[in-house]
Amino acid sequence: MIGSVATAVLGAGLGLPKATKTRITVKRDLSVRARDGVILRTDHYSPGHDGPAVLIRSPYGRGTVVALLGRLLAERGVHAVVQSCRGTYGSGGRFEPLIHERDDGLDTLAWLRRQPWYAGRLGLIGVSYQGAAHWAIAADAAPDLAAVVAVVTTAAMRDLTYAGEAFSLDTVLTWTELLESQTEPWLTRLIELRRGQPRLTAGFAHLPLAEADRVATGGTVPFFQQWLAEHATGAEYWRDRVFGERLAEVDAPVMMVAGWHDIFLPAQLDDFAVLHEAGHRPSLTIGPWTHGSPGLFAATVRVGVSFLTGHLTGTGTPPAAGTVDVTLTGRGGHRDSWPPAGRATAWYLRPDQGLGAAPVGESAPDTFTYDPAAPTPSIGGPVLVAHRSGPVDNAPLEARPDVLTYTSAPLEHDLTAIGPVYAEIWERSSGPYRDVFVRVCEVDGAGVSRNVCDGLVRVAPGRFDEDADGVTRVTVPLWPIGHVFRAGHRLRVQVSGGAHPRWSRNPGTGEPLGAAVTLRATEREIFHDAARRSAVYLPVEIQS
């Protein structure tokens, strides 16, 4: 159990507001009844007097990080209510991602309103799925809702699941295995982790994908099957599982914590834009974090506890509305606005593997073969597991014949790029079904190429326009960027036909996502001539 000594040390180390309570009361396994009779198991961390409350709803149990947050909040005069989502850790019913979170969350708020110690002011804090569960109720939690802390999360989970209208296999199957393994004995789980999760690795490689959950977890997982089947844009399945349409109705102060190499970053920044454009003033912190990294944990506690206690109790000084703290990667630095004023600056693919600020005249296309039987692998980048995420040496990837690279001359000055990134790739394929993956790297003085941002788009008939020669201009949104490329270093752009298992391989046949087993290689051409100017557009900061 986490004790007061541990929280005192952590609070001092992170500069949290001073604790006002040295003794708190914890009541565990309380029964909160949902409207359909299901019991939701709940822990209550009490400061011993009436006051505001923070709700944390989680499918990952009520221990470790959420228990720590509960104690830290209660020590600062805030009741913390930590609840297991239905179907997890003692709560009744079956866990079905997202569909019950609005009703269960609002039923828990109704329970809170009946408690004699609840003073009518509510805060929400959630990481990843927890945050999505809280966005499900945020628009309906008024007038109680007084503060929201949304950490590496989004109101629109579908965007993550089908990034680029492909299928985020690594994230989805890893999360599926994580949820299923929570019921395994700890020793079994430890052995699997020590062995490098061979079942999960086998699931990534398995076809058809409809059997991958069984390979990875030992059983069929209903929501994994549904996510394979309900991938079409506009699928009715997702209508009640996406909460972005009401995001603009949330009037309470919002703090978002995001990571440059986090799986949720594009969707989370879209949420930020929705709130901002609706006239609200959300706050934002972005750092050099991956999903689940220690730095993200520290930022969550430091920013989250201070923000919540400041708005709920008036103690401490919460950041002013609209506060932005962006930590740049590369050479580093900070910015206090998002997105800063920038100019979309083209870096054109050139013959002889060059990359430059000016396009070229006539040139022949570059070619490669994408073979889904030996799919181009993914290394680093934004994936669910922290130790496989982030910037890595791309040498193994760039040595492959199915990866094209384009490299600039050494930069004469530092180049600061902050904001959205996209690529326009003119390409032609021997088959109509394929993917386009684009990655931006920084190459240091020793020749080591490390990824900065990337993205993938799935191409199918009718999705993009073709010219008279059958050449398609494919627009690829990449992960947003906040990076300083150093003088003397070089920019590098990779173009390939996939990134497996981060995204599921494209079989090249157009077969259904979950059922595809036939694999068809495609010959690919990447154009960079006067009429077909393939380029990556970086948001270069405008110097004032």
Side-chain angles (χ1 to χ4, degrees), residues 313-496:
T313 70
T315 60
T317 306
T323 298
V324 172
D325 181 11
V326 173
T327 300
L328 306 183
T329 54
R331 188 177 284 279
H334 289 266
R335 296 294 185 272
D336 59 6
S337 63
W338 178 265
R343 179 179 62 249
T345 302
W347 286 82
Y348 294 97
L349 312 190
R350 303 174 68 129
D352 302 320
Q353 300 182 320
L355 183 71
V360 298
E362 295 305 312
S363 64
D366 296 318
T367 63
F368 68 94
T369 300
Y370 175 76
D371 185 359
T376 312
S378 56
I379 61 172
V383 293
L384 188 65
V385 179
H387 73 267
R388 291 195 273 114
S389 297
V392 298
D393 184 350
N394 276 241
L397 195 60
E398 293 172 355
R400 291 177 59 97
D402 56 358
V403 177
L404 300 178
T405 60
Y406 302 88
T407 308
S408 74
L411 296 171
E412 295 182 2
H413 308 284
D414 285 357
L415 187 153
T416 302
I418 313 176
V421 182
Y422 69 98
E424 287 187 348
I425 304 298
W426 291 82
E427 58 90 43
R428 184 165 57 195
S429 174
S430 62
Y433 299 99
R434 70 271 192 190
D435 294 339
V436 178
F437 176 77
V438 179
R439 168 170 278 185
V440 175
C441 296
E442 181 174 12
V443 184
D444 66 19
V448 178
S449 174
R450 292 183 176 86
N451 50 293
V452 177
C453 64
D454 52 34
L456 178 144
V457 161
R458 180 144 293 188
V459 182
R463 188 166 291 169
F464 296 94
D465 293 333
E466 292 184 358
D467 67 14
D469 297 321
V471 178
T472 303
R473 182 173 66 176
V474 179
T475 300
V476 184
L478 279 63
W479 253 238
I481 194 173
H483 188 83
V484 182
F485 296 88
R486 298 190 180 197
H489 290 191
R490 293 173 291 160
L491 297 179
R492 178 168 291 166
V493 171
Q494 299 174 11
V495 180
S496 62

Side-chain angles (χ1 to χ4, degrees), residues 40 57-59 83-89 91-92 95 101 129 133:
L40 304 173
R57 303 192 63 251
S58 174
Q83 184 177 87
S84 291
C85 295
R86 72 165 57 206
T88 70
Y89 286 89
S91 288
F95 179 69
E101 306 307 354
Y129 185 90

